[in-house]
Amino acid sequence: MLSDDRPIFQQIADQLADGILAGTYAPGAPVPSTNELAAFHRINPATVGKGVNVLVDAGVLEKRRGLGMYVTAGARERLLADRRAAFARDFVAPLLAEARSLGLAAADVHRIIDQGVE
Amino acid sequence: MTAPAIRLTGVSRRFGRTTALDDVTTDVPSGVVCGLLGRNGAGKTTLMSILAGHDRPSTGAVEVLGSDPFEHARVMGSVSLVRDNQRYPEDFKLRHVLRVAPRFHERWDADLAAALVDDFRLPARTTIKKMSRGQQSGVGIVIGLASRAPVTIFDEPYLGLDATARRIFADRLLASRFDGAARTIVLSTHLIDEMEQLLDHVLVLNGGRLVRAGATDEVTAAAWSLSGPADAALRLAGGRAPISTRRIGGLVSLVFAGPEPEGVGAEARAAGLQVAPVSLQDLVAALGADEAAPTAERAAA
């Protein structure tokens, strides 16, 4: 399922990345073809291609001529490194912005996080 | 809660061996915009004819504004049905239609009709018969909205309308609800995504049976979808039976009835799957997807 809040090609890339991180698509295994993804999501194959290329550029997928797209050997580690690097920006920054607007001090946020971890 | 505008009790309508409506029981509250949804042949037009008193059920009871509408003058004067294929006399032009309409609609609003004619840019000199599909739809909308009928029924009001005209219809429809007396609007449409925001209430028909009825947000909240790689999705689905399954290559998309189970979103994310709410359009498509089987059974019975 796709939503309206982000570009479609980015959602395609993220969904494939989610599958690789979850181990559904193992290193050396193929991911669904561009045509399959296009038919499944009822979108233009060029849009799928754009999403797949994001992962090719990131070294997560590689093209095997005549066979399709495959997960690279170090794909999972690369995705984890990328997502950890983006964690502060994508998750912590919005959390702190919301905390500020609610008048929560840093100590409150720490306490809430500690409670969540337990 | 006030009395419902429409009450159907065990309504069936058979044409020879065909069952067009099959034991439909439901209420439509007064003052709502109610979408009548379902595939072609689901029974929408048959139900609208019965509501307008143009037809009557084979069995069961219908009440519109508290009375049986069939050949009931008071009720028929309070109900306006706009058909998608309304026939007019050969040489009828717009002015003839506008002259006749007030006779059938006691609350007719001539000023509103004139404003709507401008909105939809309806030509004065063309006979209705020669108008484009979209212009004919425009004529129907003028009649339906300007009738100010307490119960107004539109069969496919959108046919052939351009994007601007569809917006105008939506705006005028919303505005018409605030003209004093409660107005109940029933409309059938296939452009569900576009109409969803307008609909307070929906009735979904499939093969003559009422398969969903209620407030729009409650109907859509009672369904969720799971999609992604088939093996993982089917494992997470476990013993739950989907109302529709769509499979392409190694990918599957499942729609389930009922509220989204607690925690299933997190479970799905860990498995690289997507859990999402189901749009009204996706739900109606899912409910209609398996229509062939039950209809064939009934035909054989």
Side-chain angles (χ1 to χ4, degrees), chain A residues 1 14-15 18-19 21-22 24-25 32 35-37 39-42, chain B residues 225 227-229 246 248-253 270-272 274 276 282:
Chain A
M1 296 292 121
D14 288 349
Q15 291 190 3
D18 287 344
L21 283 170
T24 309
Y25 304 123
N35 286 334
E36 270 176 21
L37 287 168
F40 185 69
H41 293 292
R42 297 195 177 94
Chain B
S225 76
S227 65
R246 187 163 161 267
I248 289 178
L251 297 166
V252 73
S253 167
Q274 283 79 45
D282 286 344

Side-chain angles (χ1 to χ4, degrees), chain A residues 1, chain B residues 212 217-227 236-237 240 243 254-270 273-279 283:
Chain A
M1 296 292 121
Chain B
R212 289 290 185 281
D217 47 2
E218 287 169 20
V219 167
T220 51
W224 59 286
S225 76
L226 172 66
S227 65
L236 181 58
R240 298 185 190 99
I243 52 176
L254 306 163
V255 176
F256 297 96
E260 182 185 314
E262 189 122 357
V264 79
E267 242 184 292
R269 207 167 315 120
L273 299 166
Q274 283 79 45
V275 163
V278 177
S279 71
L283 179 61

Side-chain angles (χ1 to χ4, degrees), chain B residues 73 90 105 186 243:
Chain B
E90 195 73 22
H105 303 293
V186 177
I243 52 176

Side-chain angles (χ1 to χ4, degrees), chain B residues 87-106:
Chain B
R87 302 283 182 83
Y88 296 96
E90 195 73 22
D91 54 350
F92 252 44
K93 294 181 182 170
L94 190 57
R95 66 170 186 278
H96 301 109
V97 177
L98 295 178
R99 197 180 302 147
V100 171
R103 273 187 238 157
F104 297 96
H105 303 293
E106 49 199 57

